[in-house]
Amino acid sequence: YAYVNGLVCEFCARALEKTIGNQDEVESIKVDLREKVVIVKLFDGKRLDESKLISLINDAGYDVEKIRYGKN
């Protein structure tokens, strides 16, 4: 889970879903605008470096407040 500052609209959500979802490691992505959280599910056995995830979000114009790992 990536808690992201600045997520306010569906356009923001779709842009992040496309950017992060295009990564080979990512099985699915869900953006919750109300909670301002991006939930990324990776394929089994794959990992996405935290620094890469933060970079993708920052490059899209948003700030990551914190990252939390765990099962949904």
Side-chain angles (χ1 to χ4, degrees):
Y1 302 83
Y3 293 86
V4 180
N5 293 322
L7 284 177
V8 294
C9 67
E10 283 296 318
F11 180 75
C12 304
R14 300 298 82 80
L16 279 178
E17 287 174 349
K18 184 175 181 179
T19 299
I20 296 170
N22 283 339
Q23 303 303 304
D24 292 337
E25 305 88 346
V26 176
E27 181 176 342
S28 66
I29 178 173
K30 178 183 176 197
V31 178
D32 184 330
L33 292 174
R34 194 180 82 235
E35 298 294 325
K36 297 188 179 0
V37 66
V38 176
I39 303 166
V40 179
K41 181 178 179 188
L42 303 178
F43 287 107
D44 287 340
K46 298 286 184 176
R47 77 185 277 275
L48 182 63
D49 288 334
E50 184 175 308
S51 61
K52 184 175 181 181
L53 178 59
I54 291 171
S55 178
L56 289 167
I57 293 170
N58 288 343
D59 290 349
Y62 306 100
D63 294 316
V64 176
E65 184 177 310
K66 68 180 174 178
I67 302 280
R68 183 170 66 94
Y69 298 91
K71 300 261 182 205
N72 200 12

